[in-house]
Structures are given as structure tokens and as C-alpha cells.
Amino acid sequence: MYSIIVVPPPTTEDETRPTQIRLAPGERLGFGRSVSDNDLAIAHDGVSRRAGEITAQGAFWILSNLSREQTYVVENPEGAGEHIKVGPGRLDAPIPFEFSRIVLPAAGDLLPIEVWAPRHDYLTADGGLDGATTAPAFSVDRTKRYFAVLAALCEPRLRGEPHAPLPTVDQVVDRLRPTWPAASRTSVQWNIDYLAVKLRLKPGPETADTGPRLNGKKESLVSLALRFDLVREDDLVVLSEPSASAPASGRVAR
């Protein structure tokens, strides 16, 4: 079974170049300006002759930077600006992203090599252990209005724009109006405040006067939601479904 799929940088010079290179666990792929026939040749004067090497593991891959001066950046296009820097000479840096983009700086150009790691290995449970159930890290109800507000805030970055500016409260209102006709600035802001307390980004009302003021509330919410997969792309369906119910706190969002 193939472990990873490598997509070379786009080129117009070689129409016969394969669009995908598949590696099984344990296989290696070197890349650079001057490499062997079985490796990935990148015809650019700004790329080292032996620039690096990709090695497939079971469910992930590792990157070696064989250049002497260039730092490579591995981006997660599906995350909220997540990236890893692999410095010159660094060997066997593990890459945790399912979909990655290696960015090679090359004499004023930035050349992308895309790498997919579609293989997922999971624990097979034979049965649970006796005792109390582990409490969830974050308790969110996808049927509540606060979740629809959170999904609307996360939508631009989940649609493949990791550095997209977050929507304003007015834009969230407009996005929710088709499924929540009564949505208003007040009700959306109330749900944002509710989420900040629910996800423990700020203290509750009983201690709010002694806690620090939360700056960048929307940014903090979206960052937390995307880092821990509280909202996934599949969850955006709530933005096209009938209106969700009120928050679990018992207060009806206006």
C-alpha cells in the first residue's frame, strides 16, 4: 500500500513529467537540480543539486534538507497558518500534516512540492476498560446556534485560505440569515461571548471582573477550533441546514 503521494512543482518545459509520484513505506525520493533518474529533478538554478529527500513511513513522512544555506518551510494548507521550518542540513524531520506543501526558496521564486499522506492507522479497540468515562476536552453541540456562529467564523480558512481574514460580525449575520432569519449583531456577538466562556478562553461572568480582558476573541476562537478539529469542513453543512437551537446554557440567543 502506498504511504504518500508527491506532486512535483508545476512546469511547462516537460509535458511528460508525471503529475504524481507514489511512495510505499520505506521508499525514498531525492529532489534537486541534478539527481538520479529515479529522483525528482527540479530544473531551476536556485535549487541545490541535491536539495533534499522525502522518505515515506507508515502513516507519515520525513524530510531531510540537504542544502547548505536554505531553510525549507512545510505548510499545512488545511490549517490555520500551521507550518514547520526545516533548517539547512536537518535530517529526518517528521512531518505531521496529512496534506503538506514544501516551499523551496529558489533565487526569488518559491517552488511548491505538495505531499499527501492519505494513509491512516487507528487503534482497534477490543473493549473498554472498567471505570468512569473520560470527560471530553471540549464539549460542543453541533445542533446549537453557537456552533453555527463558530462554523461561520471558521469557514474562510476551512475553504482553503489559511491566512484569510476572519469575517466581521455583520458578515457572520449575513451568512447565517438564510438559516437563522432572526440573526442580528447582538445575537451573534452574544454567541461569540458565550463560546469564549464555554471553551475556557475567558472566565465566566462570576469571575470576569478579576480575569484578563480577552483580545482578539474571534481569532482565539477560530485558532482553537481549527487546531483541535472542533470544526471541520464537513461541519459547514450547518450553514445550509435549518436554524439550530439555542445555546445549552438555557438562555435564548437573540
Side-chain angles (χ1 to χ4, degrees):
M1 177 181 179
Y2 292 113
S3 179
I4 66 171
I5 302 170
V6 180
V7 181
T11 178
T12 57
E13 298 178 359
D14 186 359
E15 298 297 336
T16 63
R17 172 175 293 188
T19 57
Q20 294 184 353
I21 302 170
R22 297 172 182 264
L23 302 179
E27 291 184 336
R28 297 172 180 266
L29 176 70
F31 59 89
R33 192 173 77 250
S34 177
V35 291
S36 65
D37 292 340
N38 294 327
D39 290 329
L40 172 59
I42 303 176
H44 194 295
D45 291 341
V47 175
S48 300
R49 289 188 294 272
R50 293 183 65 243
E53 187 175 70
I54 295 168
T55 305
Q57 299 294 328
F60 68 102
W61 57 283
I62 57 179
L63 174 65
S64 293
N65 182 350
L66 305 181
S67 72
R68 295 183 178 180
E69 298 179 357
Q70 302 291 358
T71 292
Y72 301 157
V73 175
V74 184
E75 301 174 337
N76 175 14
E78 299 178 317
E82 294 176 305
H83 68 276
I84 293 173
K85 293 193 290 186
V86 182
R90 170 72 191 275
L91 300 177
D92 298 336
I95 309 300
F97 310 135
E98 180 177 343
F99 173 39
S100 307
R101 180 186 297 118
I102 307 172
V103 181
L104 306 179
D109 295 324
L110 296 176
L111 304 181
I113 300 176
E114 295 181 353
V115 183
W116 296 76
R119 173 174 166 175
H120 296 170
D121 294 339
Y122 294 100
L123 174 68
T124 301
D126 296 327
L129 299 175
D130 294 334
T133 303
T134 303
F138 304 100
S139 178
V140 294
D141 187 338
R142 285 166 169 75
T143 68
K144 302 298 184 183
R145 283 178 179 161
Y146 68 73
F147 187 80
V149 171
L150 184 59
L153 289 172
C154 294
E155 184 179 27
R157 297 183 183 179
L158 284 172
R159 296 293 189 191
E161 301 179 51
H163 302 292
L166 297 185
T168 65
V169 172
D170 287 333
Q171 289 171 330
V172 172
V173 171
D174 291 341
R175 184 69 179 93
L176 296 176
R177 277 274 170 79
T179 57
W180 181 11
S184 65
R185 283 183 55 86
T186 302
S187 60
V188 166
Q189 187 61 58
W190 187 91
N191 277 277
I192 291 173
D193 293 338
Y194 176 81
L195 280 163
V197 174
K198 183 175 182 62
L199 298 180
R200 298 186 290 278
L201 293 176
K202 63 178 289 187
E206 65 279 3
T207 58
D209 56 340
T210 60
R213 179 179 176 83
L214 180 65
N215 294 318
K217 188 182 305 179
K218 291 191 299 179
E219 185 69 44
S220 297
L221 285 171
V222 170
S223 178
L224 180 74
L226 295 181
R227 283 205 315 271
F228 291 98
D229 285 338
L230 303 186
V231 182
R232 302 180 176 89
E233 189 171 359
D234 291 347
D235 292 319
L236 297 182
V237 69
V238 302
L239 301 177
S240 59
E241 288 183 341
S243 179
S245 60
S249 64
R251 175 173 177 174
V252 178
R254 296 192 289 267

PDB file of all heavy atoms in Angstrom, residues 145-146 149-150 152-153 168-174 176-177 180 182-195 218 253-254:
ATOM      1  N   ARG A 145     -27.000  27.064  18.095  1.00  0.00           N
ATOM      2  CA  ARG A 145     -26.688  28.232  17.291  1.00  0.00           C
ATOM      3  C   ARG A 145     -25.248  28.685  17.470  1.00  0.00           C
ATOM      4  O   ARG A 145     -24.625  29.204  16.547  1.00  0.00           O
ATOM      5  CB  ARG A 145     -27.662  29.365  17.632  1.00  0.00           C
ATOM      6  CG  ARG A 145     -29.031  29.166  16.988  1.00  0.00           C
ATOM      7  CD  ARG A 145     -29.987  30.271  17.374  1.00  0.00           C
ATOM      8  NE  ARG A 145     -31.291  30.076  16.742  1.00  0.00           N
ATOM      9  CZ  ARG A 145     -32.403  30.643  17.151  1.00  0.00           C
ATOM     10  NH1 ARG A 145     -32.369  31.438  18.214  1.00  0.00           N
ATOM     11  NH2 ARG A 145     -33.541  30.433  16.517  1.00  0.00           N
ATOM     12  N   TYR A 146     -24.703  28.522  18.669  1.00  0.00           N
ATOM     13  CA  TYR A 146     -23.327  28.956  18.884  1.00  0.00           C
ATOM     14  C   TYR A 146     -22.380  28.194  17.962  1.00  0.00           C
ATOM     15  O   TYR A 146     -21.362  28.733  17.512  1.00  0.00           O
ATOM     16  CB  TYR A 146     -22.909  28.820  20.354  1.00  0.00           C
ATOM     17  CG  TYR A 146     -22.783  27.420  20.891  1.00  0.00           C
ATOM     18  CD1 TYR A 146     -21.732  26.588  20.532  1.00  0.00           C
ATOM     19  CD2 TYR A 146     -23.708  26.915  21.807  1.00  0.00           C
ATOM     20  CE1 TYR A 146     -21.605  25.312  21.048  1.00  0.00           C
ATOM     21  CE2 TYR A 146     -23.596  25.650  22.320  1.00  0.00           C
ATOM     22  CZ  TYR A 146     -22.537  24.847  21.938  1.00  0.00           C
ATOM     23  OH  TYR A 146     -22.420  23.578  22.443  1.00  0.00           O
ATOM     24  N   VAL A 149     -22.460  29.792  14.566  1.00  0.00           N
ATOM     25  CA  VAL A 149     -21.647  31.017  14.589  1.00  0.00           C
ATOM     26  C   VAL A 149     -20.167  30.661  14.469  1.00  0.00           C
ATOM     27  O   VAL A 149     -19.421  31.278  13.699  1.00  0.00           O
ATOM     28  CB  VAL A 149     -21.920  31.816  15.878  1.00  0.00           C
ATOM     29  CG1 VAL A 149     -20.926  32.969  16.024  1.00  0.00           C
ATOM     30  CG2 VAL A 149     -23.351  32.354  15.882  1.00  0.00           C
ATOM     31  N   LEU A 150     -19.721  29.650  15.224  1.00  0.00           N
ATOM     32  CA  LEU A 150     -18.323  29.229  15.163  1.00  0.00           C
ATOM     33  C   LEU A 150     -17.968  28.712  13.771  1.00  0.00           C
ATOM     34  O   LEU A 150     -16.891  29.011  13.238  1.00  0.00           O
ATOM     35  CB  LEU A 150     -18.064  28.154  16.219  1.00  0.00           C
ATOM     36  CG  LEU A 150     -16.618  27.667  16.371  1.00  0.00           C
ATOM     37  CD1 LEU A 150     -15.695  28.829  16.734  1.00  0.00           C
ATOM     38  CD2 LEU A 150     -16.533  26.565  17.421  1.00  0.00           C
ATOM     39  N   ALA A 152     -19.346  29.617  10.944  1.00  0.00           N
ATOM     40  CA  ALA A 152     -19.275  30.766  10.037  1.00  0.00           C
ATOM     41  C   ALA A 152     -17.954  31.514  10.201  1.00  0.00           C
ATOM     42  O   ALA A 152     -17.380  32.006   9.218  1.00  0.00           O
ATOM     43  CB  ALA A 152     -20.450  31.703  10.287  1.00  0.00           C
ATOM     44  N   LEU A 153     -17.457  31.611  11.433  1.00  0.00           N
ATOM     45  CA  LEU A 153     -16.173  32.260  11.662  1.00  0.00           C
ATOM     46  C   LEU A 153     -15.022  31.465  11.036  1.00  0.00           C
ATOM     47  O   LEU A 153     -14.076  32.044  10.505  1.00  0.00           O
ATOM     48  CB  LEU A 153     -15.926  32.418  13.165  1.00  0.00           C
ATOM     49  CG  LEU A 153     -16.778  33.444  13.907  1.00  0.00           C
ATOM     50  CD1 LEU A 153     -16.545  33.339  15.419  1.00  0.00           C
ATOM     51  CD2 LEU A 153     -16.470  34.859  13.432  1.00  0.00           C
ATOM     52  N   THR A 168     -16.360  39.678   9.679  1.00  0.00           N
ATOM     53  CA  THR A 168     -16.851  40.593  10.698  1.00  0.00           C
ATOM     54  C   THR A 168     -18.156  40.051  11.270  1.00  0.00           C
ATOM     55  O   THR A 168     -18.758  39.120  10.716  1.00  0.00           O
ATOM     56  CB  THR A 168     -17.085  41.983  10.108  1.00  0.00           C
ATOM     57  OG1 THR A 168     -18.146  41.894   9.127  1.00  0.00           O
ATOM     58  CG2 THR A 168     -15.830  42.520   9.440  1.00  0.00           C
ATOM     59  N   VAL A 169     -18.608  40.637  12.353  1.00  0.00           N
ATOM     60  CA  VAL A 169     -19.882  40.224  12.931  1.00  0.00           C
ATOM     61  C   VAL A 169     -21.010  40.427  11.920  1.00  0.00           C
ATOM     62  O   VAL A 169     -21.892  39.567  11.773  1.00  0.00           O
ATOM     63  CB  VAL A 169     -20.159  41.005  14.232  1.00  0.00           C
ATOM     64  CG1 VAL A 169     -21.586  40.731  14.733  1.00  0.00           C
ATOM     65  CG2 VAL A 169     -19.150  40.612  15.312  1.00  0.00           C
ATOM     66  N   ASP A 170     -20.986  41.534  11.196  1.00  0.00           N
ATOM     67  CA  ASP A 170     -22.017  41.781  10.183  1.00  0.00           C
ATOM     68  C   ASP A 170     -21.983  40.717   9.087  1.00  0.00           C
ATOM     69  O   ASP A 170     -23.032  40.285   8.595  1.00  0.00           O
ATOM     70  CB  ASP A 170     -21.837  43.167   9.566  1.00  0.00           C
ATOM     71  CG  ASP A 170     -22.252  44.281  10.514  1.00  0.00           C
ATOM     72  OD1 ASP A 170     -23.113  44.019  11.385  1.00  0.00           O
ATOM     73  OD2 ASP A 170     -21.718  45.398  10.397  1.00  0.00           O
ATOM     74  N   GLN A 171     -20.795  40.285   8.677  1.00  0.00           N
ATOM     75  CA  GLN A 171     -20.683  39.241   7.661  1.00  0.00           C
ATOM     76  C   GLN A 171     -21.190  37.904   8.183  1.00  0.00           C
ATOM     77  O   GLN A 171     -21.801  37.133   7.439  1.00  0.00           O
ATOM     78  CB  GLN A 171     -19.233  39.128   7.184  1.00  0.00           C
ATOM     79  CG  GLN A 171     -18.782  40.304   6.337  1.00  0.00           C
ATOM     80  CD  GLN A 171     -17.288  40.283   6.062  1.00  0.00           C
ATOM     81  OE1 GLN A 171     -16.487  39.780   6.858  1.00  0.00           O
ATOM     82  NE2 GLN A 171     -16.898  40.838   4.924  1.00  0.00           N
ATOM     83  N   VAL A 172     -20.942  37.623   9.462  1.00  0.00           N
ATOM     84  CA  VAL A 172     -21.482  36.400  10.055  1.00  0.00           C
ATOM     85  C   VAL A 172     -23.010  36.454  10.074  1.00  0.00           C
ATOM     86  O   VAL A 172     -23.687  35.468   9.762  1.00  0.00           O
ATOM     87  CB  VAL A 172     -20.925  36.194  11.482  1.00  0.00           C
ATOM     88  CG1 VAL A 172     -21.634  35.026  12.171  1.00  0.00           C
ATOM     89  CG2 VAL A 172     -19.424  35.931  11.430  1.00  0.00           C
ATOM     90  N   VAL A 173     -23.560  37.606  10.430  1.00  0.00           N
ATOM     91  CA  VAL A 173     -25.015  37.765  10.422  1.00  0.00           C
ATOM     92  C   VAL A 173     -25.570  37.471   9.031  1.00  0.00           C
ATOM     93  O   VAL A 173     -26.530  36.711   8.871  1.00  0.00           O
ATOM     94  CB  VAL A 173     -25.407  39.190  10.868  1.00  0.00           C
ATOM     95  CG1 VAL A 173     -26.903  39.427  10.642  1.00  0.00           C
ATOM     96  CG2 VAL A 173     -25.063  39.399  12.339  1.00  0.00           C
ATOM     97  N   ASP A 174     -24.968  38.060   7.994  1.00  0.00           N
ATOM     98  CA  ASP A 174     -25.439  37.838   6.629  1.00  0.00           C
ATOM     99  C   ASP A 174     -25.320  36.368   6.235  1.00  0.00           C
ATOM    100  O   ASP A 174     -26.187  35.834   5.532  1.00  0.00           O
ATOM    101  CB  ASP A 174     -24.636  38.699   5.650  1.00  0.00           C
ATOM    102  CG  ASP A 174     -24.936  40.179   5.799  1.00  0.00           C
ATOM    103  OD1 ASP A 174     -25.990  40.520   6.374  1.00  0.00           O
ATOM    104  OD2 ASP A 174     -24.110  41.008   5.356  1.00  0.00           O
ATOM    105  N   LEU A 176     -25.542  33.778   8.189  1.00  0.00           N
ATOM    106  CA  LEU A 176     -26.476  32.940   8.943  1.00  0.00           C
ATOM    107  C   LEU A 176     -27.939  33.244   8.648  1.00  0.00           C
ATOM    108  O   LEU A 176     -28.820  32.429   8.971  1.00  0.00           O
ATOM    109  CB  LEU A 176     -26.221  33.102  10.445  1.00  0.00           C
ATOM    110  CG  LEU A 176     -24.857  32.630  10.969  1.00  0.00           C
ATOM    111  CD1 LEU A 176     -24.722  32.950  12.442  1.00  0.00           C
ATOM    112  CD2 LEU A 176     -24.678  31.131  10.742  1.00  0.00           C
ATOM    113  N   ARG A 177     -28.222  34.404   8.061  1.00  0.00           N
ATOM    114  CA  ARG A 177     -29.604  34.819   7.864  1.00  0.00           C
ATOM    115  C   ARG A 177     -30.458  33.794   7.101  1.00  0.00           C
ATOM    116  O   ARG A 177     -31.622  33.581   7.452  1.00  0.00           O
ATOM    117  CB  ARG A 177     -29.633  36.156   7.118  1.00  0.00           C
ATOM    118  CG  ARG A 177     -29.441  37.371   8.037  1.00  0.00           C
ATOM    119  CD  ARG A 177     -30.766  37.845   8.641  1.00  0.00           C
ATOM    120  NE  ARG A 177     -30.553  38.828   9.677  1.00  0.00           N
ATOM    121  CZ  ARG A 177     -30.280  40.112   9.447  1.00  0.00           C
ATOM    122  NH1 ARG A 177     -30.148  40.553   8.204  1.00  0.00           N
ATOM    123  NH2 ARG A 177     -30.141  40.945  10.449  1.00  0.00           N
ATOM    124  N   TRP A 180     -31.092  31.265   9.760  1.00  0.00           N
ATOM    125  CA  TRP A 180     -31.451  31.853  11.052  1.00  0.00           C
ATOM    126  C   TRP A 180     -31.938  33.283  10.782  1.00  0.00           C
ATOM    127  O   TRP A 180     -31.206  34.256  10.955  1.00  0.00           O
ATOM    128  CB  TRP A 180     -30.228  31.849  11.973  1.00  0.00           C
ATOM    129  CG  TRP A 180     -30.456  32.403  13.339  1.00  0.00           C
ATOM    130  CD1 TRP A 180     -31.643  32.709  13.936  1.00  0.00           C
ATOM    131  CD2 TRP A 180     -29.435  32.745  14.298  1.00  0.00           C
ATOM    132  NE1 TRP A 180     -31.444  33.213  15.189  1.00  0.00           N
ATOM    133  CE2 TRP A 180     -30.099  33.237  15.446  1.00  0.00           C
ATOM    134  CE3 TRP A 180     -28.052  32.676  14.297  1.00  0.00           C
ATOM    135  CZ2 TRP A 180     -29.407  33.664  16.561  1.00  0.00           C
ATOM    136  CZ3 TRP A 180     -27.357  33.096  15.409  1.00  0.00           C
ATOM    137  CH2 TRP A 180     -28.023  33.584  16.543  1.00  0.00           C
ATOM    138  N   ALA A 182     -33.669  35.438  12.247  1.00  0.00           N
ATOM    139  CA  ALA A 182     -33.658  36.420  13.323  1.00  0.00           C
ATOM    140  C   ALA A 182     -32.248  36.830  13.749  1.00  0.00           C
ATOM    141  O   ALA A 182     -32.082  37.596  14.701  1.00  0.00           O
ATOM    142  CB  ALA A 182     -34.420  35.882  14.533  1.00  0.00           C
ATOM    143  N   ALA A 183     -31.219  36.321  13.057  1.00  0.00           N
ATOM    144  CA  ALA A 183     -29.841  36.647  13.436  1.00  0.00           C
ATOM    145  C   ALA A 183     -29.614  38.153  13.378  1.00  0.00           C
ATOM    146  O   ALA A 183     -30.096  38.841  12.476  1.00  0.00           O
ATOM    147  CB  ALA A 183     -28.865  35.937  12.513  1.00  0.00           C
ATOM    148  N   SER A 184     -28.888  38.658  14.367  1.00  0.00           N
ATOM    149  CA  SER A 184     -28.584  40.083  14.434  1.00  0.00           C
ATOM    150  C   SER A 184     -27.185  40.260  15.005  1.00  0.00           C
ATOM    151  O   SER A 184     -26.567  39.302  15.491  1.00  0.00           O
ATOM    152  CB  SER A 184     -29.594  40.798  15.334  1.00  0.00           C
ATOM    153  OG  SER A 184     -29.459  40.345  16.677  1.00  0.00           O
ATOM    154  N   ARG A 185     -26.669  41.480  14.956  1.00  0.00           N
ATOM    155  CA  ARG A 185     -25.363  41.747  15.541  1.00  0.00           C
ATOM    156  C   ARG A 185     -25.338  41.373  17.019  1.00  0.00           C
ATOM    157  O   ARG A 185     -24.371  40.792  17.514  1.00  0.00           O
ATOM    158  CB  ARG A 185     -25.006  43.230  15.380  1.00  0.00           C
ATOM    159  CG  ARG A 185     -24.538  43.634  14.000  1.00  0.00           C
ATOM    160  CD  ARG A 185     -24.152  45.115  13.981  1.00  0.00           C
ATOM    161  NE  ARG A 185     -23.162  45.427  15.011  1.00  0.00           N
ATOM    162  CZ  ARG A 185     -21.855  45.287  14.853  1.00  0.00           C
ATOM    163  NH1 ARG A 185     -21.380  44.853  13.707  1.00  0.00           N
ATOM    164  NH2 ARG A 185     -21.025  45.604  15.831  1.00  0.00           N
ATOM    165  N   THR A 186     -26.415  41.702  17.725  1.00  0.00           N
ATOM    166  CA  THR A 186     -26.468  41.428  19.158  1.00  0.00           C
ATOM    167  C   THR A 186     -26.433  39.937  19.449  1.00  0.00           C
ATOM    168  O   THR A 186     -25.687  39.465  20.309  1.00  0.00           O
ATOM    169  CB  THR A 186     -27.733  42.044  19.772  1.00  0.00           C
ATOM    170  OG1 THR A 186     -27.745  43.453  19.525  1.00  0.00           O
ATOM    171  CG2 THR A 186     -27.781  41.786  21.267  1.00  0.00           C
ATOM    172  N   SER A 187     -27.248  39.158  18.704  1.00  0.00           N
ATOM    173  CA  SER A 187     -27.319  37.722  18.971  1.00  0.00           C
ATOM    174  C   SER A 187     -26.015  37.019  18.579  1.00  0.00           C
ATOM    175  O   SER A 187     -25.554  36.119  19.285  1.00  0.00           O
ATOM    176  CB  SER A 187     -28.504  37.097  18.224  1.00  0.00           C
ATOM    177  OG  SER A 187     -28.394  37.282  16.832  1.00  0.00           O
ATOM    178  N   VAL A 188     -25.407  37.434  17.461  1.00  0.00           N
ATOM    179  CA  VAL A 188     -24.147  36.815  17.051  1.00  0.00           C
ATOM    180  C   VAL A 188     -23.047  37.142  18.046  1.00  0.00           C
ATOM    181  O   VAL A 188     -22.277  36.272  18.456  1.00  0.00           O
ATOM    182  CB  VAL A 188     -23.773  37.253  15.623  1.00  0.00           C
ATOM    183  CG1 VAL A 188     -22.315  36.901  15.311  1.00  0.00           C
ATOM    184  CG2 VAL A 188     -24.700  36.603  14.607  1.00  0.00           C
ATOM    185  N   GLN A 189     -22.965  38.405  18.490  1.00  0.00           N
ATOM    186  CA  GLN A 189     -21.934  38.777  19.456  1.00  0.00           C
ATOM    187  C   GLN A 189     -22.145  38.053  20.776  1.00  0.00           C
ATOM    188  O   GLN A 189     -21.185  37.645  21.432  1.00  0.00           O
ATOM    189  CB  GLN A 189     -21.944  40.293  19.666  1.00  0.00           C
ATOM    190  CG  GLN A 189     -20.788  40.794  20.529  1.00  0.00           C
ATOM    191  CD  GLN A 189     -19.443  40.489  19.901  1.00  0.00           C
ATOM    192  OE1 GLN A 189     -19.154  40.903  18.786  1.00  0.00           O
ATOM    193  NE2 GLN A 189     -18.603  39.753  20.633  1.00  0.00           N
ATOM    194  N   TRP A 190     -23.430  37.869  21.166  1.00  0.00           N
ATOM    195  CA  TRP A 190     -23.697  37.143  22.408  1.00  0.00           C
ATOM    196  C   TRP A 190     -23.172  35.714  22.310  1.00  0.00           C
ATOM    197  O   TRP A 190     -22.564  35.191  23.249  1.00  0.00           O
ATOM    198  CB  TRP A 190     -25.197  37.129  22.697  1.00  0.00           C
ATOM    199  CG  TRP A 190     -25.512  36.546  24.047  1.00  0.00           C
ATOM    200  CD1 TRP A 190     -25.620  37.213  25.224  1.00  0.00           C
ATOM    201  CD2 TRP A 190     -25.749  35.162  24.347  1.00  0.00           C
ATOM    202  NE1 TRP A 190     -25.900  36.339  26.253  1.00  0.00           N
ATOM    203  CE2 TRP A 190     -25.978  35.060  25.731  1.00  0.00           C
ATOM    204  CE3 TRP A 190     -25.774  34.000  23.580  1.00  0.00           C
ATOM    205  CZ2 TRP A 190     -26.245  33.855  26.375  1.00  0.00           C
ATOM    206  CZ3 TRP A 190     -26.032  32.788  24.210  1.00  0.00           C
ATOM    207  CH2 TRP A 190     -26.267  32.729  25.591  1.00  0.00           C
ATOM    208  N   ASN A 191     -23.386  35.067  21.164  1.00  0.00           N
ATOM    209  CA  ASN A 191     -22.909  33.698  20.980  1.00  0.00           C
ATOM    210  C   ASN A 191     -21.387  33.628  20.940  1.00  0.00           C
ATOM    211  O   ASN A 191     -20.792  32.652  21.415  1.00  0.00           O
ATOM    212  CB  ASN A 191     -23.509  33.101  19.704  1.00  0.00           C
ATOM    213  CG  ASN A 191     -24.904  32.555  19.923  1.00  0.00           C
ATOM    214  OD1 ASN A 191     -25.085  31.435  20.379  1.00  0.00           O
ATOM    215  ND2 ASN A 191     -25.909  33.359  19.607  1.00  0.00           N
ATOM    216  N   ILE A 192     -20.728  34.648  20.384  1.00  0.00           N
ATOM    217  CA  ILE A 192     -19.262  34.684  20.402  1.00  0.00           C
ATOM    218  C   ILE A 192     -18.760  34.788  21.835  1.00  0.00           C
ATOM    219  O   ILE A 192     -17.826  34.082  22.243  1.00  0.00           O
ATOM    220  CB  ILE A 192     -18.748  35.855  19.538  1.00  0.00           C
ATOM    221  CG1 ILE A 192     -19.017  35.577  18.055  1.00  0.00           C
ATOM    222  CG2 ILE A 192     -17.259  36.091  19.774  1.00  0.00           C
ATOM    223  CD1 ILE A 192     -18.691  36.747  17.142  1.00  0.00           C
ATOM    224  N   ASP A 193     -19.381  35.653  22.635  1.00  0.00           N
ATOM    225  CA  ASP A 193     -19.013  35.765  24.048  1.00  0.00           C
ATOM    226  C   ASP A 193     -19.265  34.454  24.789  1.00  0.00           C
ATOM    227  O   ASP A 193     -18.465  34.028  25.636  1.00  0.00           O
ATOM    228  CB  ASP A 193     -19.792  36.899  24.706  1.00  0.00           C
ATOM    229  CG  ASP A 193     -19.400  38.270  24.186  1.00  0.00           C
ATOM    230  OD1 ASP A 193     -18.283  38.396  23.642  1.00  0.00           O
ATOM    231  OD2 ASP A 193     -20.203  39.213  24.309  1.00  0.00           O
ATOM    232  N   TYR A 194     -20.390  33.814  24.460  1.00  0.00           N
ATOM    233  CA  TYR A 194     -20.735  32.531  25.094  1.00  0.00           C
ATOM    234  C   TYR A 194     -19.679  31.476  24.767  1.00  0.00           C
ATOM    235  O   TYR A 194     -19.241  30.718  25.635  1.00  0.00           O
ATOM    236  CB  TYR A 194     -22.109  32.091  24.604  1.00  0.00           C
ATOM    237  CG  TYR A 194     -22.551  30.732  25.096  1.00  0.00           C
ATOM    238  CD1 TYR A 194     -23.094  30.576  26.370  1.00  0.00           C
ATOM    239  CD2 TYR A 194     -22.438  29.612  24.287  1.00  0.00           C
ATOM    240  CE1 TYR A 194     -23.495  29.333  26.815  1.00  0.00           C
ATOM    241  CE2 TYR A 194     -22.841  28.367  24.734  1.00  0.00           C
ATOM    242  CZ  TYR A 194     -23.372  28.226  26.001  1.00  0.00           C
ATOM    243  OH  TYR A 194     -23.766  26.993  26.442  1.00  0.00           O
ATOM    244  N   LEU A 195     -19.246  31.428  23.506  1.00  0.00           N
ATOM    245  CA  LEU A 195     -18.225  30.467  23.099  1.00  0.00           C
ATOM    246  C   LEU A 195     -16.906  30.710  23.827  1.00  0.00           C
ATOM    247  O   LEU A 195     -16.222  29.761  24.225  1.00  0.00           O
ATOM    248  CB  LEU A 195     -17.996  30.563  21.586  1.00  0.00           C
ATOM    249  CG  LEU A 195     -19.009  29.849  20.692  1.00  0.00           C
ATOM    250  CD1 LEU A 195     -18.898  30.362  19.266  1.00  0.00           C
ATOM    251  CD2 LEU A 195     -18.781  28.341  20.738  1.00  0.00           C
ATOM    252  N   LYS A 218     -12.274  36.603  18.423  1.00  0.00           N
ATOM    253  CA  LYS A 218     -12.620  35.770  17.264  1.00  0.00           C
ATOM    254  C   LYS A 218     -11.415  34.975  16.791  1.00  0.00           C
ATOM    255  O   LYS A 218     -11.535  33.793  16.465  1.00  0.00           O
ATOM    256  CB  LYS A 218     -13.172  36.644  16.134  1.00  0.00           C
ATOM    257  CG  LYS A 218     -14.534  37.256  16.418  1.00  0.00           C
ATOM    258  CD  LYS A 218     -15.133  37.892  15.166  1.00  0.00           C
ATOM    259  CE  LYS A 218     -14.263  39.000  14.638  1.00  0.00           C
ATOM    260  NZ  LYS A 218     -14.811  39.631  13.408  1.00  0.00           N
ATOM    261  N   ALA A 253     -30.501  32.811  22.492  1.00  0.00           N
ATOM    262  CA  ALA A 253     -29.733  33.843  21.803  1.00  0.00           C
ATOM    263  C   ALA A 253     -30.661  34.720  21.022  1.00  0.00           C
ATOM    264  O   ALA A 253     -31.549  34.250  20.341  1.00  0.00           O
ATOM    265  CB  ALA A 253     -28.705  33.189  20.870  1.00  0.00           C
ATOM    266  N   ARG A 254     -30.410  36.032  21.103  1.00  0.00           N
ATOM    267  CA  ARG A 254     -31.307  36.957  20.422  1.00  0.00           C
ATOM    268  C   ARG A 254     -30.992  37.009  18.934  1.00  0.00           C
ATOM    269  O   ARG A 254     -29.884  36.783  18.532  1.00  0.00           O
ATOM    270  CB  ARG A 254     -31.152  38.348  21.053  1.00  0.00           C
ATOM    271  CG  ARG A 254     -31.597  38.357  22.514  1.00  0.00           C
ATOM    272  CD  ARG A 254     -31.714  39.779  23.012  1.00  0.00           C
ATOM    273  NE  ARG A 254     -30.402  40.392  23.162  1.00  0.00           N
ATOM    274  CZ  ARG A 254     -29.729  40.373  24.293  1.00  0.00           C
ATOM    275  NH1 ARG A 254     -30.236  39.783  25.350  1.00  0.00           N
ATOM    276  NH2 ARG A 254     -28.562  40.952  24.393  1.00  0.00           N
TER     277      ARG A 254
END
